[in-house]
Amino acid sequence: MSAETGPATVRPTRLSRHLPGGLRPGPGAAPEQVQGEGAERAERGEAGGLSHLDQDRGHIMANFLLSFLALLLGGLYGPLQALDKMGINLYPYLPGVYGSYYLGLTLHGVGLALLFTFTFIIGFLSFAIVHGLRRPLASRRLGWAAFLTPLAGTILALVPLLRNDATVLWTFYAPLRAHPGFYAGLVLAVTGTYLAALNGYLTWRAWKREHPDQRTPLMAFASLTTWTMWVLASLGLAYALVMYLLPWSLDEQAEINQLLTRSLFWFTGHPVVYFWLMPVYVSWYTMLPAQVGGRLFSESLARLVFLLFLPLSIPTGLHHMFSDPGITHQAKLVHTVITFGVVFPSLLTAFTVVASLEDGARRSGGKGWVRWILALPWFTNPSVAGQLLAMLLFAGGGITGLINASYTMNLVVHNSLWVAGHLHFQVGTASTLTFMAVAYWLVPLLARRKLWRPRLALVQVWLWFLGMAVMGRGMHWMGLAGAPRRTFLSMARYADFETWWTAGLLTGLGGLVLAVSGAMFLWIMAATLLRSERAAEVPEVPEARPLLPVKHMPRVLDRLTPWVVVTVILTAIAWLPTLVQVARNNPLVPGWRLW
Amino acid sequence: MDIDRLERFWIMISIAVLAALMLAIVYSVRGFGVEVPTDVGQVDPRTARETEPFNQPGVRQVGPGHYEVVMLAEAWRFEPSEVRVPAGSTVTFRLTSLDVIHGFRIPNTNVNLMVQPGQVVEATHRFNEPGTYHLFCHEYCGAGHHIMDGMLIVER
Ligand code: HEM
Ligand SMILES: [Cu+2]
Ligand SMILES: [Cu+2]
């Protein structure tokens, strides 16, 4: 990297030389004129007005508020769990059933991984569809229903959970049997996502009627692809809940096929990761480049990435069951191969998103091979900084994820604390920190207020990054040193805190930093809504324009049906033999309450 | 579709890296003989105690230098919870659960299993170093999950 050493050597990089306008700040490069509707609309000056949001502002905000409540409830136990990993047991100080490590961990997992993410995503994708199509949702009622249903589900699930009647962790594997309210609540939470998806499709249909022969704007198309992936992927979980777990908890069925419900859980359990991630990509591809003054590197490839998640997300779930009996090597291997396939769109994302950021950085004066990175607003813009930091840990989590998925290598890490480390880099940071960062511009915009103390918000995202980096490092390490996941280690005989000391210390300290950061986020949100001044002018929604001209885009990149067909076929090949075999062979067993 | 030249290059690298990682997996199976569990049969948890081989939990020699350890898992213990084998022996673990899902993990080995009611699960490992190996349940199985453990003693 000799280009870096010379004083003012403004050497064009290969990329910048190659990209039109790459080095030159400001518009004027030819491709900008030949662009999609987004750009045309922007030129017509429509981006400014936000009246298309008026109808749906309310229920979108309501979903965000519900998600913040879930973040609060789920987050409470986080630091206690982290301290447990360094042998500090604070649970005896908690009253009654709340002193249960596993009740706390159930609240943490269900509250954060399921309720927080679902409700935030419902709000965010609804927003992205409304704004992408510049039109209100097809049904305002359905919009509110997509808030009230998960709200009812949250209450229904939390009541038994908080009464220690559903201490089954967020994976609720049978034959541990929870109170029926818990399963019913989850059904309602999933139903909420379906209602929001349905509203999205109806809106799309109406928009297409109003705009025949036009390409669907990327922001909306990517969001609709996300909904489609989730609707297909969640069928496994929905089937397990409605056909088996709920009736069994109601004593309608005496016994259960635990391996079948477990397999159905993982049918959804891997793609749910993409349900957490694709909304993040909606921001990284279609919004973040505009936040740094850049353009989206390639719209066609962006579409391809989203569409590839459809067929490739679902036929992978067995990589969570490598250590399971009753499932053949062949089936596990098929899922391994497809898992490596689904890494591919994320690798494409690494290129496209970084290239888009580079474009923005260069337009605001960034130079050099890598020095342009410093031209990004790491220390000035909390919303951008949060997303950039989320990307850094996401890259780390991607690598640990490849290790988890590596069939034989999985034996080293399966069910160890390493997995929890991985998961906090992914859903706990890539998704959560991005959602927080998005909330920093979106919540003020919806509430028509100014963000309260942006400097504090900047400190908050950095603390989350640092806390998570330290805690994640500790958990990965401790897992390799033999610590199991979701275990009350400070009370376990085999816990080897002497060997685990440093790793445990990192976990504990990182957890405390995270708790501070999480509290700061909630505080800033509350203050923004309650105390901050009203915004004077109508803010602008960041919407990235494509950098390269979209000359000829195959029609298949603007359609979902063909991809759905491929998805169904591939899923049937990868899952049906295993599901049928497990449904036939595995003995039925009674339920247990062991807590 | 227009794909930028650099991006095309990146796509090739991505595919090459993923292919190399898959080859590494194939090598770990073929070259090192690492095996993940597979379908080896079912047993009803209510009659498991009367069914071969789970009617006789414990260690038995099945060949020269080869031992079989049959174990039952239930909340919150393994039966037997202490096992002794001579150093240098190959040990096949065979487990099932009598109630809910449990785990079976011996750190620093490739023994990492889900123990489920209704299913038999197997793993084989060679123990060369004498010493005491802690083993434990690594799947949440209720309030006493963290006390569910045992000991494997490899004798000189
Ligand atoms: C205040 C910040 C947080 C802290 C200190 C924290 C800490 C922890 C710790 C120490 C564990 C391990 C418990 C164990 O294995 O015994 C854990 C588990 C878990 N956390 Fe967090 N966490 C935080 C935020 C989050 C977020 C934002 C999410 C997701 C959106 C999340 C999702 C989970 C899940 C799903 C588990 C269960 C993991 C499993 O099944 O093994 N956590 N958390
Ligand atoms: Cu997965
Ligand atoms: Cu157990």
Side-chain angles (χ1 to χ4, degrees):
Chain A
M1 304 272 142
S2 56
E4 294 309 299
T5 49
T9 38
V10 189
R11 272 231 246 134
T13 68
R14 281 194 58 166
L15 183 63
S16 63
R17 221 185 293 130
H18 185 68
L19 299 183
L23 256 184
R24 285 176 299 271
E32 278 189 44
Q33 263 92 56
V34 248
Q35 272 153 21
E37 293 85 316
E40 285 157 28
R41 256 201 315 264
E43 262 141 42
R44 290 200 302 273
E46 281 174 36
L50 289 179
S51 55
H52 53 280
L53 283 172
D54 289 341
Q55 178 199 289
D56 303 299
R57 213 179 269 274
H59 62 82
I60 292 174
M61 266 306 276
N63 259 314
F64 286 159
L65 291 180
L66 182 55
S67 80
F68 299 154
L69 185 71
L71 187 63
L72 171 67
L73 286 176
L76 288 175
Y77 274 96
L80 300 189
Q81 288 158 199
L83 288 174
D84 171 67
K85 307 306 166 213
M86 55 191 286
I88 297 178
N89 178 5
L90 294 179
Y91 288 82
Y93 301 103
L94 299 175
V97 290
Y98 302 111
S100 155
Y101 184 84
Y102 301 107
L103 183 152
L105 188 53
T106 308
L107 183 64
H108 183 79
V110 172
L112 295 173
L114 304 178
L115 300 175
F116 161 66
T117 54
F118 284 13
T119 47
F120 191 92
I121 291 168
I122 291 174
F124 180 60
L125 292 184
S126 301
F127 167 83
I129 290 171
V130 169
H131 187 72
L133 300 177
R134 298 293 194 284
R135 127 185 248 304
L137 288 179
S139 162
R140 180 186 144 87
R141 278 212 198 154
L142 209 49
W144 277 102
F147 159 69
L148 293 171
T149 316
L151 174 68
T154 303
I155 295 169
L156 200 55
L158 282 187
V159 169
L161 204 161
L162 292 174
R163 297 169 56 112
N164 200 26
D165 285 331
T167 303
V168 290
L169 304 192
W170 72 286
T171 44
F172 49 90
Y173 297 139
L176 286 173
R177 200 178 85 156
H179 187 280
F182 177 75
Y183 302 114
L186 295 180
V187 170
L188 288 183
V190 174
T191 308
T193 63
Y194 291 169
L195 297 177
L198 176 64
N199 213 353
Y201 296 129
L202 294 175
T203 312
W204 192 26
R205 202 179 60 177
W207 180 88
K208 279 206 250 183
R209 251 189 246 128
E210 296 153 6
H211 304 81
D213 309 319
Q214 275 194 39
R215 196 162 62 225
T216 311
L218 180 64
M219 192 186 282
F221 185 74
S223 304
L224 290 159
T225 312
T226 306
W227 275 134
T228 309
M229 191 289 301
W230 170 245
V231 168
L232 293 175
S234 58
L235 292 178
L237 179 67
Y239 193 78
L241 282 168
V242 174
M243 301 303 288
Y244 301 111
L245 292 163
L246 190 54
W248 171 66
S249 69
L250 288 165
D251 282 324
E252 307 262 324
Q253 294 169 13
E255 300 183 315
I256 195 155
N257 184 334
Q258 59 83 19
L259 189 51
L260 182 61
T261 50
R262 181 176 159 86
S263 304
L264 288 168
F265 179 89
W266 286 115
F267 180 101
T268 303
H270 185 73
V272 76
V273 170
Y274 296 104
F275 185 50
W276 296 328
L277 200 60
M278 286 167 73
V280 170
Y281 283 5
V282 169
S283 174
W284 291 357
Y285 275 97
T286 74
M287 298 166 182
L288 183 62
Q291 286 178 280
V292 300
R295 294 153 296 181
L296 172 61
F297 183 74
S298 161
E299 174 164 343
S300 307
L301 274 161
R303 283 169 185 263
L304 183 66
V305 163
F306 277 90
L307 288 167
L308 280 177
F309 280 122
L310 267 173
L312 295 179
S313 306
I314 307 173
T316 53
L318 284 182
H319 68 221
H320 293 265
M321 299 172 73
F322 286 145
S323 295
D324 274 46
I327 294 171
T328 61
H329 280 156
Q330 289 82 342
K332 290 174 181 176
L333 277 169
V334 169
H335 284 232
T336 306
V337 173
I338 303 176
T339 301
F340 278 84
V342 75
V343 178
F344 181 66
S346 285
L347 287 172
L348 282 185
T349 297
F351 184 96
T352 308
V353 169
V354 173
S356 310
L357 291 171
E358 177 174 354
D359 180 54
R362 291 196 185 285
R363 293 173 117 204
S364 45
K367 308 252 155 54
W369 267 80
V370 283
R371 228 165 0 123
W372 60 264
I373 292 173
L374 297 178
L376 294 169
W378 294 92
F379 301 108
T380 45
N381 183 333
S383 176
V384 174
Q387 299 187 61
L388 297 176
L389 294 168
M391 281 175 203
L392 289 184
L393 286 192
F394 178 58
I399 294 167
T400 57
L402 276 169
I403 293 172
N404 302 344
S406 291
Y407 195 64
T408 41
M409 187 102 86
N410 179 267
L411 293 174
V412 180
V413 296
H414 174 72
N415 263 6
S416 75
L417 210 51
W418 161 287
V419 173
H422 162 75
L423 155 174
H424 283 85
F425 279 180
Q426 307 301 75
V427 64
T429 306
S431 301
T432 303
L433 188 52
T434 298
F435 292 164
M436 289 171 165
V438 166
Y440 281 145
W441 65 262
L442 186 49
V443 167
L445 181 141
L446 291 173
R448 302 194 178 95
R449 287 182 184 264
K450 286 190 176 152
L451 178 64
W452 188 76
R453 304 227 177 139
R455 306 283 311 164
L456 209 60
L458 190 69
V459 175
Q460 187 271 323
V461 295
W462 273 94
L463 284 182
W464 190 273
F465 169 76
L466 293 173
M468 204 53 101
V470 170
M471 183 176 88
R473 169 71 226 250
M475 286 187 177
H476 279 100
W477 187 3
M478 216 165 138
L480 289 182
R485 118 196 219 203
R486 30 199 210 179
T487 300
F488 193 10
L489 288 177
S490 50
M491 296 299 279
R493 271 185 297 195
Y494 52 83
D496 182 3
F497 286 113
E498 265 159 47
T499 312
W500 297 343
W501 172 241
T502 328
L505 187 70
L506 293 179
T507 309
L509 291 183
L512 292 180
V513 174
L514 278 169
V516 171
S517 173
M520 283 170 72
F521 171 75
L522 293 169
W523 186 258
I524 293 168
M525 279 296 116
T528 298
L529 294 174
L530 300 174
R531 298 210 198 144
S532 192
E533 349 163 4
R534 299 212 154 261
E537 72 271 24
V538 184
E540 229 179 274
V541 175
E543 184 170 14
R545 306 196 256 154
L547 192 157
L548 298 176
V550 187
K551 275 190 298 236
H552 35 256
M553 195 178 71
R555 257 192 60 63
V556 70
L557 292 183
D558 194 37
R559 297 184 58 198
L560 289 177
T561 323
W563 296 87
V564 170
V565 173
V566 176
T567 306
V568 171
I569 295 172
L570 201 58
T571 303
I573 295 173
W575 270 108
L576 265 190
T578 298
L579 290 177
V580 169
Q581 176 218 339
V582 165
R584 287 218 185 117
N585 288 352
N586 191 47
L588 297 178
V589 295
W592 295 82
R593 176 182 173 139
L594 295 173
W595 63 87
Chain B
M1 191 166 96
D2 324 294
I3 301 185
D4 177 77
R5 186 170 49 84
L6 280 174
E7 184 135 33
R8 199 162 294 170
F9 183 60
W10 175 261
I11 289 174
M12 312 278 219
I13 297 181
S14 302
I15 293 175
V17 167
L18 294 175
L21 291 174
M22 298 234 273
L23 282 179
I25 295 178
V26 173
Y27 185 69
S28 73
V29 177
R30 288 283 153 90
F32 295 115
V34 183
E35 285 278 4
V36 308
T38 186
D39 184 13
V40 293
Q42 286 69 37
V43 57
D44 193 308
R46 276 158 298 198
T47 54
R49 276 192 186 283
E50 291 92 61
T51 314
E52 278 274 319
F54 297 105
N55 53 354
Q56 282 181 318
V59 193
R60 72 181 138 254
Q61 188 158 15
V62 289
H66 192 179
Y67 292 81
E68 182 187 69
V69 173
V70 174
M71 266 194 191
L72 290 166
E74 68 181 323
W76 296 294
R77 64 196 197 100
F78 292 105
E79 180 186 340
S81 64
E82 194 182 301
V83 181
R84 290 168 187 273
V85 293
S89 48
T90 302
V91 183
T92 298
F93 298 90
R94 188 159 293 142
L95 291 95
T96 192
S97 162
L98 301 179
D99 42 41
V100 296
I101 302 183
H102 297 279
F104 183 75
R105 174 73 176 133
I106 310 177
N108 305 317
T109 70
N110 284 337
V111 180
N112 189 336
L113 301 171
M114 302 308 298
V115 187
Q116 303 182 355
Q119 294 285 342
V120 182
V121 68
E122 270 181 24
T124 300
H125 188 79
R126 197 180 149 91
F127 291 88
N128 289 326
E129 293 292 312
T132 303
Y133 293 73
H134 239 126
L135 54 90
F136 50 80
C137 169
H138 67 24
E139 185 57 83
Y140 170 66
C141 53
H145 161 54
H146 46 276
I147 61 167
M148 183 163 169
D149 61 2
M151 209 78 96
L152 175 85
I153 297 155
V154 179
E155 293 169 328
R156 209 163 263 295

